[in-house]
Amino acid sequence: MNYWLMKSEPDVFSIDILKTKKKSGWDGVRNYQARNFMRDDMKKGDMVLFYHSSCEVPGVAGLAQVSKESHPDPTQFDPKSDYYDPKATKENPRWFMVEVEFVEKFNSVVTLHTIKSIKSLENMPLVKKGSRLSINPVSEKEYKTILGLK
DNA sequence: GCCAACGTTGGC
DNA sequence: GCCAACGTTGGC
């Protein structure tokens, strides 16, 4: 099993929305590296740290689990969607997503500030300046360390 | 709202 | 293939 961190702006999609919906496709990713993780590497059962970005208190807000592996992101075909990609076709989709399932909302957010203060988490891309990738692999140790902080 | 860091686009 | 211009991310 592998572990991941996925960023989302809570104003757009939060752990609370996932809790209500139970399951959701992780649509709207338009970065090739992040897409490749979803298309090639994320497997059913993998655990996901659900990270809230661009908000008052950035940090890991809860847990999700991959419930369906790679399939085309339908928003790329929808001209009305913000994520519409005119160069994508159903025969040759450009963007892929996984589906995630709600697991847990933490009682309190494990804040970026806290994560930055933990020596053993210093190699997480999250704490590195200028790291903008919205999906990152997480080691088992890092995953467990973060769970210990909730 | 600022701005550093990074990714993408497109002219050449 | 280079690289300047532009757009986006995301913490602060």
Side-chain angles (χ1 to χ4, degrees), chain A residues 14-24 50 61-67 100-106:
Chain A
S14 65
I15 189 80
D16 292 304
I17 298 173
L18 182 61
K19 185 176 182 178
T20 304
K21 293 181 65 176
K22 309 272 193 254
K23 289 179 176 184
S24 176
F50 195 121
L63 291 182
Q65 188 167 30
V66 177
S67 50
V100 300
E101 177 175 28
F102 175 80
V103 173
E104 175 186 350
K105 181 188 178 182
F106 295 165

Side-chain angles (χ1 to χ4, degrees), chain A residues 1-6 37 41-43 45-49 63-64 66 135-144 147:
Chain A
M1 196 215 298
N2 287 309
Y3 303 92
W4 305 91
L5 181 140
M6 299 177 90
F37 282 136
D41 301 319
M42 296 182 76
K43 299 300 172 194
D46 284 359
M47 297 304 297
V48 174
L49 298 168
L63 291 182
V66 177
I135 300 177
N136 285 291
V138 174
S139 75
E140 185 176 2
K141 265 191 177 171
E142 290 162 345
Y143 177 79
K144 287 183 173 165
L147 285 201

Side-chain angles (χ1 to χ4, degrees), chain A residues 1-3 13 23 29 32 36 40 43 47 52-53 57 72 75 82 85 91 101 106 108 119 126 135-136 139 144 149:
Chain A
M1 196 215 298
N2 287 309
Y3 303 92
F13 186 69
K23 289 179 176 184
V29 170
Y32 290 105
N36 292 349
D40 305 332
K43 299 300 172 194
M47 297 304 297
H52 283 174
S53 65
V57 185
T75 62
D82 288 343
D85 184 345
E91 294 72 34
E101 177 175 28
F106 295 165
S108 59
K119 176 80 176 151
L126 196 64
I135 300 177
N136 285 291
S139 75
K144 287 183 173 165
L149 297 169

Side-chain angles (χ1 to χ4, degrees), chain A residues 27-143:
Chain A
D27 61 18
V29 170
R30 293 295 179 267
N31 169 282
Y32 290 105
Q33 238 182 309
R35 177 205 67 182
N36 292 349
F37 282 136
M38 289 201 285
R39 190 188 59 190
D40 305 332
D41 301 319
M42 296 182 76
K43 299 300 172 194
K44 190 172 179 178
D46 284 359
M47 297 304 297
V48 174
L49 298 168
F50 195 121
Y51 181 87
H52 283 174
S53 65
S54 293
C55 59
E56 202 170 337
V57 185
V60 178
L63 291 182
Q65 188 167 30
V66 177
S67 50
K68 189 178 169 194
E69 292 174 14
S70 173
H71 51 291
D73 176 345
T75 62
Q76 69 192 305
F77 308 124
D78 178 4
K80 293 191 292 296
S81 169
D82 288 343
Y83 305 122
Y84 177 60
D85 184 345
K87 292 183 183 159
T89 62
K90 296 210 173 173
E91 294 72 34
N92 193 13
R94 180 182 287 202
W95 304 108
F96 294 83
M97 63 178 194
V98 296
E99 179 192 77
V100 300
E101 177 175 28
F102 175 80
V103 173
E104 175 186 350
K105 181 188 178 182
F106 295 165
N107 290 324
S108 59
V109 173
V110 178
T111 67
L112 178 61
H113 183 258
T114 299
I115 292 169
K116 281 181 169 171
S117 73
I118 307 289
K119 176 80 176 151
S120 60
L121 299 178
E122 69 184 1
N123 289 324
M124 293 186 76
L126 196 64
V127 306
K128 290 176 183 162
K129 198 175 167 184
S131 165
R132 304 185 309 166
L133 194 56
S134 65
I135 300 177
N136 285 291
V138 174
S139 75
E140 185 176 2
K141 265 191 177 171
E142 290 162 345
Y143 177 79

